[in-house]
Amino acid sequence: MRIAVDAEACVGSGLCALATPEVFDQDDTDGSVVLLAAEPPPEFFDAVRDAIESCPVKAISMAGHQE
Amino acid sequence: MTMSTEPPALPTRRMNPWDPPAELAGFRAREPIRRLRYPDGHVGWLVTSHSLARSVLADPRFSARSELKRAPVARPGVDLFFGVPALPGWLVDMDAPEHTRIRRQLAGRFTAHRMRELKPQIEQLVEDHLAAMARSKPPIDLVEAFALPVPSLTICELLGVPYGERADFQRNSATLFRLEASVDDAAKAMEHLNGLLRGLVEHKRGRPSDDLLSMLVTDGTLSTEEIAGVGVLLLTAGHETTANSLSLGTFALLSHPDQLARLKADPSLVDNTVEELLRYLTIFHFGVPRTPVVDVEIAGQRLRAGESVTVSLPAANRDPEHFDEPDRLDLSRRTTGHLAFGYGIHQCIGQNLARIEMRIALQALFRRFPDLALAVPPTEVPVSTDMGIYGVHRLPVTW
Ligand code: HEM
Ligand code: SF4
């Protein structure tokens, strides 16, 4: 699984970073998303899918993934 | 097209404290976007399904500007906020890019890691209040002893508002949320809160410290008026909401003993318990207002520019298309995508603060008082259907 974030679109809700701090963090100045792991290990796949589904501005996306 | 029958007003009558007005389910099943009559006679729209709620709230053609907003329930005091330009700093009433400018200033102070850093402080607050409760003689009002002071103190600390001001700001903030409040009452409450915050901003100009208001002052991007406005918004939105979620959430758990037993047996359920309570109770019970700025076609309906739209968050959070058996409180269900904090660019900026406060507070409450019980029959708990935010006025408990 390879993920990408759009920090411009992000509104800093922090949903992703609270649920999965191993993969997502937030910038201290404007709260925008910071991707810590673009290719997270499989144990985070479900959490990343949840983050993709819950992000209020669809700023997280998945490019090609292997089950 | 002519309407044969007059469109309904927003249903507000609840059959019990938990479920949204029953008519909403019928609307959602038959016409997830349908015409709605507003108290002033305007005919706008009501959105009740989860998918349409998300589409509307994510769509920049639907404005959040207060000039265009209209309350779906009679609420005279709202004239202070709706139908007029956004008050300085009130990002909830703005569109991009004005909204973006203020949101970016604030979001850095509400990041997940900052909220996690607040944990020890909140844990201490919670312990102190529970200890004081333990020393008092039951029955007591859980709202006054616990559910209100914990979020109030937390937001005061974060903003840098002296807690000594609480009696005043709690009263004035409650006035703003009261449906019956007149424009005059609301204006007075607002003037008081603005005065308090303006004074604090001036004070912090001289000697800034580590709090959010000081940071905004030092940064210099926002004007004094804007910082004071942001302060009022965060102070009012930051304690009333979380306090109601906590007290209503406790009431819900005490009334669903099978679910509460699961939480007591497995405290690690608390994170999902909080999400499920937020979904199940959805305290923004009248939804959120939006207005299309151009004609929009959505789900076969044609909305004209300027027609008011109410997005019913409680109806969306009970949509069976998104949640299995949505009317059941189930602490281990999948809650992903619930809309209790809204959706789109205005999604609650304080959500992770609320989450962390609720997780700590609920876990500690039932650890310290495993025998906590209602001190009155459930039908005698005064629920706040008379407020802009749903909750309970008092929660008499014993142990
Ligand atoms: C359980 C508690 C809470 C609930 C259910 C809640 C709910 C909401 C909802 C539904 C919105 C979206 C409004 C809209 O789209 O028009 C919102 C926005 C907002 N909330 Fe909360 N909230 C809670 C706690 C808090 C806290 C603790 C704070 C402050 C520390 C806060 C500050 C705000 C602000 C400033 C906005 C406007 C954000 C924007 O327009 O970008 N809320 N909240
Ligand atoms: S969930 Fe979306 S909006 Fe929220 S911080 Fe993550 S990327 Fe940004």
Side-chain angles (χ1 to χ4, degrees):
Chain A
M1 173 189 274
R2 181 164 184 86
I3 50 183
V5 295
D6 179 352
E8 269 305 301
C10 170
V11 290
S13 72
L15 259 171
C16 57
L18 190 75
T20 319
E22 298 84 354
V23 179
F24 304 102
D25 194 6
Q26 288 174 271
D27 184 286
D28 258 330
T29 53
D30 65 4
S32 62
V33 61
V34 174
L35 190 54
L36 298 179
E39 293 186 45
E43 67 258 39
F44 294 116
F45 286 6
D46 281 346
V48 169
R49 284 191 197 101
D50 276 357
I52 292 172
E53 194 195 325
S54 29
C55 173
V57 291
K58 299 207 183 307
I60 310 170
S61 57
M62 185 161 39
H65 63 113
Q66 65 282 48
E67 283 305 317
Chain B
M1 186 179 82
T2 53
M3 292 295 221
S4 49
T5 50
E6 182 167 279
L10 183 71
T12 55
R13 206 165 59 86
R14 289 173 179 259
M15 302 311 282
N16 60 56
W18 321 121
D19 298 324
E23 297 90 331
L24 292 174
F27 293 166
R28 188 181 52 224
R30 287 189 305 273
E31 276 183 296
I33 176 161
R34 58 127 45 244
R35 307 248 46 172
L36 178 73
R37 185 164 42 84
Y38 283 72
D40 64 357
H42 174 80
V43 176
W45 301 90
L46 175 65
V47 173
T48 47
S49 74
H50 187 272
S51 68
L52 288 181
R54 284 219 284 206
S55 332
V56 167
L57 294 176
D59 187 336
R61 293 176 300 176
F62 289 87
S63 170
R65 279 166 57 210
S66 49
E67 284 101 315
L68 308 171
K69 280 180 178 168
R70 188 178 261 111
V73 294
R75 194 173 177 182
V78 93
D79 286 355
L80 196 64
F81 302 95
F82 291 0
V84 294
L87 304 175
W90 282 58
L91 71 162
V92 65
D93 288 333
M94 300 174 186
D95 293 337
E98 293 79 13
H99 169 266
T100 324
R101 169 174 164 265
I102 300 178
R103 177 103 186 181
R104 295 241 148 117
Q105 285 287 306
L106 300 181
R109 296 295 288 201
F110 285 93
T111 60
H113 57 260
R114 275 193 201 266
M115 296 303 107
R116 258 187 238 108
E117 282 164 16
L118 290 178
K119 264 186 178 169
Q121 233 172 300
I122 299 171
E123 278 162 0
Q124 189 61 51
L125 266 177
V126 162
E127 283 313 319
D128 291 349
H129 283 80
L130 292 178
M133 228 171 97
R135 287 191 300 271
S136 61
K137 212 171 92 63
I140 57 132
D141 172 16
L142 194 78
V143 174
E144 195 190 317
F146 186 62
L148 185 59
V150 169
S152 284
L153 271 158
T154 307
I155 192 68
C156 279
E157 289 260 324
L158 200 130
L159 284 175
V161 173
Y163 194 54
E165 306 284 351
R166 71 182 174 283
D168 269 356
F169 81 67
Q170 284 171 357
R171 185 170 36 80
N172 285 303
S173 160
T175 301
L176 294 181
F177 284 111
R178 190 171 306 123
L179 299 183
E180 285 182 350
S182 66
V183 184
D184 236 34
D185 293 343
K188 279 199 196 103
M190 201 51 207
E191 196 31 56
H192 181 97
L193 289 165
N194 262 327
L196 168 68
L197 266 296
R198 262 197 311 268
L200 283 170
V201 171
E202 284 311 329
H203 176 80
K204 285 168 201 292
R205 261 190 214 297
R207 52 196 114 135
S209 60
D210 193 29
D211 53 63
L212 191 145
L213 291 176
S214 296
M215 188 277 298
L216 293 175
V217 165
T218 319
D219 181 82
T221 308
L222 304 185
S223 69
T224 298
E225 286 302 311
E226 286 175 319
I227 301 173
V230 162
V232 173
L233 178 61
L234 290 174
L235 193 60
T236 50
H239 79 277
E240 197 83 37
T241 47
T242 312
N244 277 306
S245 300
L246 258 179
S247 46
L248 188 62
T250 304
F251 181 25
L253 289 171
L254 293 175
S255 306
H256 294 79
D258 55 323
Q259 295 299 315
L260 179 54
R262 297 175 68 194
L263 176 62
K264 285 180 187 166
D266 177 8
S268 74
L269 259 185
V270 76
D271 289 10
N272 208 63
T273 295
V274 167
E275 300 309 313
E276 173 65 347
L277 289 171
L278 288 164
R279 177 196 76 85
Y280 186 67
L281 302 169
T282 314
I283 60 169
F284 269 54
H285 55 156
F286 302 134
V288 291
R290 293 293 187 271
T291 320
V293 288
V294 294
D295 292 359
V296 173
E297 195 147 330
I298 172 171
Q301 301 277 23
R302 191 176 166 77
L303 283 59
R304 304 229 167 250
E307 290 179 337
S308 296
V309 179
T310 291
V311 179
S312 175
L313 302 180
N317 272 344
R318 297 293 186 102
D319 188 344
E321 296 272 320
H322 193 86
F323 303 101
D324 290 335
E325 290 190 70
D327 295 325
R328 215 159 59 83
L329 178 72
D330 174 358
L331 304 192
S332 59
R333 80 157 63 242
R334 194 176 137 81
T335 55
T336 308
H338 77 70
L339 301 179
F341 290 119
Y343 191 75
I345 64 169
H346 292 280
Q347 194 186 59
C348 185
I349 205 167
Q351 58 183 284
N352 284 342
L353 179 60
R355 285 193 167 98
I356 284 178
E357 289 185 66
M358 287 182 70
R359 290 173 185 178
I360 294 173
L362 286 177
Q363 208 167 37
L365 177 66
F366 289 108
R367 192 173 53 222
R368 181 108 191 199
F369 298 98
D371 298 324
L372 195 79
L374 289 178
V376 296
T379 48
E380 282 172 32
V381 173
V383 292
S384 43
T385 43
D386 56 335
M387 303 291 277
I389 302 285
Y390 186 57
V392 297
H393 287 294
R394 285 181 305 284
L395 190 66
V397 293
T398 184
W399 55 87

